[in-house]
Amino acid sequence: MKNLKDLIAKYETSGPRYTSYPTAPHFSPDADKARLEKLALGATSPLALYIHIPFCESLCWFCGCTSSVCRDPKMADDYLHLLNRELELWRDKGLSKRTLKQIHFGGGTPNFLSTQQIEKIGDLIRKYFIVDGDCEFSAELDPRTLTKEKADAFVKIGINRASIGVQDTNPDVQKAVNRIQPQSKNIEAANWLRENGVNELNIDLIYGLPLQTADSFKKTLDDAMELNPTRIALFGYAHVPWMKPSQKNLEKNPLPTPDQKVEIFLLAKDFFEKNGYEYIGLDHFAKPSDALIAARKNGTLHRNFQGYTTRAGLDNFAVGLTSISETKTSYRQNFKLMPDYVKSLKSGELPIERGIILDGDDILRRGVIMDVMCSLKVGFNNYGVDFKTVFAEAFPKLEEMRADGLVEMFDDRFEVTNLGRLFLRNIAMLFDGRLSKGTQRYSKTI
């Protein structure tokens, strides 16, 4: 087996993060939208709901999300009216008042909303859905603009899990990425949430930002432990200025080299594991008591556009600008540009811009890829096909990965090793039947 540095050099390439399969670049504006609507309406089972809030008070230059800088609270009022109109159209098309097992606010910055607007969106949810008593209800929050009153309002409408963006606590790095955020703000946000009984706290960190080094990131890791999160997402910064022009600003300062970026990640991985967190894989860590660990064990861990989630089997119903919905056999995405979103709703049309309807091969490959990413094992007899024949091209590469210590091979399955968790995207790519069919530029896998 090669040493880790050699393995990383060998397997470093570009590839999807597999928050869906097929991945978003394969969604098409030519998809049959009437059928996408029918697939969304054809079930009565419980749902996960995602609501996209596209506003921020300032732009973080590393951001890859669909958001816009906004300082006019009235725009949020207008946006809530649009969300109501979108849900009204779905109801008129035949969407029943389905039960929600998960709710997630993403962005942008959901706490851009005022306390009154937060309460309005809570009313909106209950107008069109039934919130299960055991619903996991989470929101992404920005400590820089969170207030105690807003934290209170989120708890009032039902949130029981929060994800706060920390990214990096080094002042020089913060200045380089246009996100000034003292640790005192992070502590304050965590305290407000816990005082309200929100004890399930995720924090987001980013490695690979300008001016970051392994030494500088040690303070960020210590600061993260001060917040005592139940989950940690350690995202690798994806430098894609051809997609996000604001990222060109980061080139004013040196970005870590690939080797330095790996050094930072491995430092953090070792640090979290020594502090009692389990490495889920890819970019997530969790305490042994966290629901992600239980989901891994009982087979309900899943990946979607919010990352790892604990409720496999739920359709994801997403509303708002650019949001992506998932059913058992389709994905659909709303318009990315506000004028198009508004025009569609005002004309009485659902704001679906593009999507994809999965064929049998897609469904098969999605199942295998999700098992790699979530279960860390693939049973050859679980998919109703002659696995070794259908995926014959993958086996020589799997054997090479076995020799490198990334997987263990058995007669009826393969399993990802602890070392292999660093290379999940590479392993999943062996089963991606669409990689050669597109020209999308992806971020680095490691």
Side-chain angles (χ1 to χ4, degrees):
M1 186 178 75
K2 296 179 175 67
N3 67 46
L4 183 55
K5 187 173 181 180
D6 289 340
L7 285 174
I8 288 169
K10 176 179 178 178
Y11 287 101
E12 185 182 49
T13 185
S14 297
R17 292 180 181 270
Y18 294 112
T19 49
S20 70
Y21 184 83
T23 55
H26 297 287
F27 299 177
S28 170
D30 298 324
D32 185 340
K33 295 184 176 64
R35 192 171 170 204
L36 289 173
E37 292 176 18
K38 186 175 180 181
L39 289 169
L41 297 168
T44 57
S45 54
L47 288 172
L49 175 68
Y50 174 76
I51 300 177
H52 189 74
I53 308 297
F55 307 117
C56 293
E57 289 189 16
S58 63
L59 178 65
C60 303
W61 290 335
F62 57 76
C63 185
C65 301
T66 300
S67 61
S68 60
V69 175
C70 177
R71 295 184 177 87
D72 181 3
K74 184 181 181 303
M75 288 190 69
D77 275 330
D78 294 341
Y79 187 69
L80 293 186
H81 287 302
L82 293 170
L83 290 177
N84 181 68
R85 179 59 179 150
E86 183 179 352
L87 287 167
E88 186 178 60
L89 286 172
W90 276 110
R91 182 195 62 193
D92 293 346
K93 291 272 188 178
L95 182 71
S96 60
K97 196 169 184 178
R98 291 167 72 177
T99 298
L100 300 179
K101 292 284 190 178
Q102 271 187 330
I103 305 170
H104 185 72
F105 291 148
T109 305
N111 56 283
F112 176 88
L113 302 175
S114 68
T115 55
Q116 293 80 8
Q117 290 163 343
I118 293 166
E119 291 179 13
K120 279 183 184 178
I121 207 167
D123 292 338
L124 191 66
I125 291 168
R126 287 167 172 82
K127 178 180 178 182
Y128 293 100
F129 302 97
I130 299 165
V131 180
D132 187 80
D134 191 36
C135 181
E136 182 186 84
F137 193 159
S138 59
E140 298 169 15
L141 302 175
D142 184 342
R144 297 173 300 164
T145 55
L146 188 66
T147 64
K148 185 179 186 307
E149 291 72 25
K150 289 185 180 185
D152 292 344
F154 276 114
V155 172
K156 183 178 178 180
I157 68 169
I159 75 158
N160 48 36
R161 178 180 288 279
S163 180
I164 64 173
V166 173
Q167 322 312 355
D168 190 299
T169 60
N170 182 283
D172 293 332
V173 175
Q174 291 182 356
K175 185 176 179 181
V177 301
N178 197 38
R179 186 185 176 103
I180 306 302
Q181 184 173 323
Q183 172 71 351
S184 59
K185 283 285 187 183
N186 302 328
I187 294 170
E188 191 174 52
N191 287 342
W192 285 333
L193 292 163
R194 289 194 170 109
E195 287 167 4
N196 271 304
V198 181
N199 294 312
E200 302 301 320
L201 185 67
N202 311 353
I203 64 167
D204 296 341
L205 302 175
I206 298 179
Y207 68 99
L209 296 175
L211 302 181
Q212 274 183 342
T213 66
D215 283 341
S216 76
F217 205 60
K218 289 176 182 176
K219 179 64 164 59
T220 293
L221 297 175
D222 287 334
D223 289 340
M225 289 300 95
E226 188 177 10
L227 301 174
N228 191 26
T230 52
R231 293 180 195 170
I232 300 160
L234 178 64
F235 297 117
Y237 167 64
H239 192 55
V240 288
W242 59 90
M243 294 175 61
K244 296 292 178 179
S246 62
Q247 292 186 350
K248 288 288 289 183
N249 291 303
L250 300 190
E251 296 173 5
K252 299 172 186 176
N253 291 288
L255 288 158
T257 65
D259 282 351
Q260 289 171 329
K261 192 174 175 182
V262 168
E263 183 185 7
I264 295 169
F265 176 82
L266 294 177
L267 169 79
K269 177 180 180 291
D270 182 63
F271 179 88
F272 293 137
E273 289 177 331
K274 285 180 178 176
N275 279 274
Y277 292 83
E278 182 173 329
Y279 182 39
I280 296 292
L282 200 60
D283 47 27
H284 276 59
F285 300 80
K287 286 187 173 182
S289 59
D290 188 83
L292 279 182
I293 304 299
R296 159 70 54 74
K297 292 175 180 176
N298 63 28
T300 59
L301 192 65
H302 183 63
R303 272 183 74 75
N304 61 21
F305 286 89
Q306 289 78 61
Y308 280 107
T309 73
T310 58
R311 307 286 175 93
L314 295 180
D315 286 356
N316 191 47
F317 193 92
V319 294
L321 194 72
T322 201
S323 62
I324 299 176
S325 300
E326 175 185 358
T327 74
K328 304 294 184 296
T329 55
S330 69
Y331 296 95
R332 65 184 186 277
Q333 182 170 23
N334 281 355
F335 286 104
K336 291 183 177 181
L337 299 178
M338 187 68 81
D340 295 332
Y341 180 68
V342 171
K343 180 181 178 182
S344 180
L345 292 171
K346 285 190 173 179
S347 66
E349 297 292 329
L350 291 170
I352 302 170
E353 180 177 23
R354 61 193 191 125
I356 189 169
I357 295 168
L358 279 60
D359 60 25
D361 186 65
D362 290 329
I363 292 169
L364 169 63
R365 292 175 183 275
R366 178 170 70 172
V368 176
I369 287 170
M370 286 298 157
D371 281 344
V372 170
M373 302 297 287
C374 298
S375 301
L376 303 178
K377 60 184 176 182
V378 170
F380 304 150
N381 301 320
N382 294 343
Y383 307 99
V385 298
D386 184 339
F387 192 94
K388 292 183 179 180
T389 299
V390 172
F391 297 109
E393 290 184 2
F395 275 82
K397 296 174 184 176
L398 281 171
E399 181 58 32
E400 187 176 352
M401 289 180 168
R402 183 205 63 77
D404 286 335
L406 309 189
V407 299
E408 290 183 306
M409 300 296 296
F410 302 89
D411 289 342
D412 63 344
R413 70 192 188 281
F414 73 83
E415 298 182 3
V416 180
T417 65
N418 286 334
L419 175 63
R421 295 185 194 194
L422 293 169
F423 302 87
L424 283 181
R425 291 164 72 182
N426 300 79
I427 299 169
M429 286 167 67
L430 301 183
F431 304 95
D432 188 331
R434 291 176 174 266
L435 272 179
S436 62
K437 299 176 184 178
T439 58
Q440 173 71 17
R441 296 168 70 180
Y442 294 103
S443 63
K444 295 293 185 182
T445 56
I446 304 167

